[in-house]
Amino acid sequence: GEVVRITELDEVDDDILEAMRRLVSQLSSSAPPLTLERLEDVVKTESCTIFVASIDGGIVGTLTLVTFP
């Protein structure tokens, strides 16, 4: 079977942004387009951790974990 690799997202580039846009569009047709700046803000937020699931290097899913002190 296919191996799914789960990693924490700690930096953003155009390829990751495009994958995240593709995934968000599957959930909502009315969500505003995700920008590089907004995604970077979320990744840098101390209370947010984004995990990505990849198969053969392509992102196929995400999970955003938000923690509260």
Side-chain angles (χ1 to χ4, degrees):
E2 296 177 310
V3 175
V4 178
R5 182 174 177 208
I6 307 295
T7 55
E8 182 179 340
L9 186 62
D10 56 6
E11 61 183 40
V12 178
D13 61 24
D14 289 335
D15 292 334
I16 291 170
L17 177 62
E18 184 57 36
M20 296 292 280
R21 284 179 175 165
R22 179 178 42 80
L23 292 169
V24 169
S25 72
Q26 293 176 17
L27 298 174
S28 172
S29 60
S30 61
L34 186 61
T35 65
L36 188 62
E37 293 79 19
R38 181 67 185 124
L39 185 55
E40 286 174 337
D41 286 345
V42 174
V43 168
K44 292 177 185 175
T45 300
E46 187 175 321
S47 62
C48 292
T49 304
I50 298 177
F51 295 97
V52 294
S54 303
I55 297 176
D56 294 328
I59 296 175
V60 295
T62 68
L63 176 136
T64 302
L65 176 64
V66 179
T67 56
F68 297 93

